[in-house]
Amino acid sequence: MAFTVLVQLWTRYVWIAFVFCALCNIALSVTRYSIPEEMKEGSVVANLATDLGLDVRSLAEREVKLDVIHSKKYLEVNKNTGELYIVETIDRELLCPTKTSMSCFIKMDLIMESPIRIFNIELEIMDINDNAPRFRRETIYLDISESASAGERFSLTNAVDPDLGKNSIKTYHLSENENFDLEIQTGSDGTKYAGLILKKALDREEQAVHNLILTAVDGGVPARSGTASIIVRVLDTNDNAPQFDRQVYTVNITENSPIGTVVLKLNATDLDEGSNGETEYSFTMYTSEKTQEMFSLNSNTGEIRVNDAIDFEETKMFEMHIQAKDKGSVPLSGECKVMVYVSDVNDNYPEMSIKSFTRTIKEGVAMGTVIALISISDRDSGDNGKVELSINEQLPFVLNKSSENYFELLVSEPLDREKVSEYDITFIVTDRGTPPLSDNETITLHLLDVNDNAPLFPKSFYTIPVMENNAPGSLLSSITAFDPDLHENQYLVYFIIEKEIANTSMSMLFSINPENGDLYALRTFDYEREKEFLFHIEARDSGVPPLSSNVTVHIIILDQNDNTPVIVSPWRAHGSVVEEVIPRSTEKGYLVAKVIAIDSDSVQNSRVTYQFLQITDATLFSLDQYNGEIRTTRMFSYRDPRHQRLVVVAKDNGDPALSATVTIKISTVEHVIRAFSETTEIPLEYDIFSDLNLYLVIGLGSVSFLLLMTILVIIVLKCQKPKPTKAAPPCRNSVISQRNSTIADSTLVSSDAYWYSLFLAETRKGKLVIRQPIPKGGGYIVSSIPRSTGLTETSESTASTLQYSK
């Protein structure tokens, strides 16, 4: 009855629902689509208007909308075209995280109004291979005992792949190795499981750790893979017994070795680890009790030490049997034998005695000289009683065995106190025992000095520059020598070796302090008189006999600009004005005068240049700054004054420069008329060559004189004629007239030309020519003065006189 009522109620509900759906035009059919995951945003899935038979133009009017059921809204409907498109990328693994079903759907309802219509739409998301397999742990640790047997299996952590079907994990691979294989099993749900199978027994002592690589590969195209590292740690078992590196050890030990002396340190190795590799040492029952009393054995380190006094005469050899046992649960052990041989001890030291010794000797003693006598002895017998004597290092001495157990110490090489002043000689006496015993004793030998070293200068040649005009007594330099000898052999005295230059002794020019070698100048030097000095200084010691050495000293006098230029042409009395008369009709370039100045300083300081200091008309005259020629630069005009005043300065090249001036008064006339001076010109000359060039001048003069005399004699013999009467000198006016008519450039003529030629000739010889008028003597006197001698007086023999009458 109840069932009938339920059927009636259900029938009635279905009918009502059908009538309601018919009235509302609701479609109950489902439209399905399938797309792969990871499609780009904006991708069109389908055209719903076309597939559902809808009018595209009415979609917007009927307010069509898409309602997504139980999911994020990944899609939307274009109301203008009816297209269903993706608004957000769909990841199947996020949408359907569970792998219980192969299908993954998005359910949607397309709802339209006026009238209301609902369309059911299902979108299936298909899987693609977009995920690689991944292990939950990148490193898998396995601990396997080395006692594990072959074929034993070990499970591994599986890899996971969010993809489904053929894109999920397909297989596993294991890196190549000798000890393990890979086993792959498939679960009821198709999941692949990997396991490790031991195919060969492990040995920890051979390899304690095995590193493997496990790779999971899926079935996608292209396939993706993931890896994990498998670290297999081999656990130790006590399968190795301790082993000694030798079965029999042989040790030598001397008698009387101190208690605690290490005899031997045993080392047994056990390849196991942990307690299985820890070793303990002990004596076995084959070792006598006496031996165990004489020696101690450290159970942990294996050191065997002396435990009691050892006497060679009582026991010459000990034999020990030693066992090494590990601490494994089932301990393993190894054994060895130690043979200890006792050696006799050389327990008596050799002795020596110095019978005689000379503590001081002079350097340079003869080789073979006996210095000391030594005796040696040793109370031991055999090789332990045989004794050898030696000295400590390479010394200029040698030991000579004079008799049994007696030695002489002799000089074997020359002794030089300056190299080594004393010797510490150590005698070493050694026996031939094992080990040898030795003793030593040191003596000190002092060397006495002998005067065997001459003084030594640091340099063999000294060049000392000295500025002229130095103050007398000024210190020039300190010239010292060194003597490596001692005491009086080292005390030095300095001398200037006497030498005369121009009849002047060196001791009058220079002085040296005999104690310290300070060199002084005794007078003021003048570069224009002497330019250098060359002499020797001797250093002599106070030894017996004394030794000495000398050094060459070169004194160079440096020039100072201390000489003012002297104007020698045109000549004039001191402070007077030179007057020159020239015709107004002279042409351009006419030589008015030539200023000549000389400077007795050195070449650099004596270089003279000429300049106008004052000039009446700068456009009328020019002055050559190098040769001093004053010439006209143009012709005279009627506007030019008849008198011109020129002041010429002659300046040298020194620092500071020195100078001299000359004033020339030039008068212009229509016709030049010069009257002969009622004086006679007498040139007086003085030799200006230095003493160094005097001999050369005398030689050249003698040769020239002989040649001249020969020529004169020949001329006189060939041309003997009656001596004509002395003609009157030509009128001054005629000379001037001839000068104006025949010489175009108005150069110097008559007596002026003669004096100019004489000046040039004497200047080339190194003389200074000065013309002075003789007021009542009827001529001129010319003085030739030396430049460099600096003498204040001149002998009459060196002066030559030329006289011309009116």
Side-chain angles (χ1 to χ4, degrees), residues 33 44 81 95 161 228 260 301 332 354-355 403 482 506 553 667 777:
Y33 298 100
V44 177
T81 61
L95 184 63
D161 192 333
T301 63
L332 302 177
I354 299 176
K355 300 299 182 181
S403 61
F482 171 74
M506 284 294 104
V553 179
S667 301

Side-chain angles (χ1 to χ4, degrees), residues 500-553:
E500 289 189 359
I501 298 179
N503 299 324
T504 302
S505 174
M506 284 294 104
S507 59
M508 299 177 63
L509 301 176
F510 303 97
S511 172
I512 190 168
N513 189 321
E515 295 182 355
N516 57 24
D518 289 345
L519 183 64
Y520 298 90
L522 297 181
R523 70 175 179 84
T524 300
F525 296 112
D526 187 357
Y527 174 83
E528 287 71 35
R529 296 182 58 188
E530 53 263 329
K531 294 180 174 56
E532 61 181 8
F533 299 94
L534 194 66
F535 57 92
H536 299 281
I537 292 178
E538 178 182 310
R540 183 182 303 165
D541 62 25
S542 303
V544 180
L547 300 177
S548 64
S549 63
N550 59 63
V551 66
T552 302
V553 179

Side-chain angles (χ1 to χ4, degrees), residues 332 478 695 780 800:
L332 302 177
S478 182
Y695 300 106
Y780 287 86
S800 59

Side-chain angles (χ1 to χ4, degrees), residues 518 538 585 626 631 666 684:
D518 289 345
E538 178 182 310
S585 60
Y626 298 109
R631 293 181 181 271
I666 300 175
L684 180 62

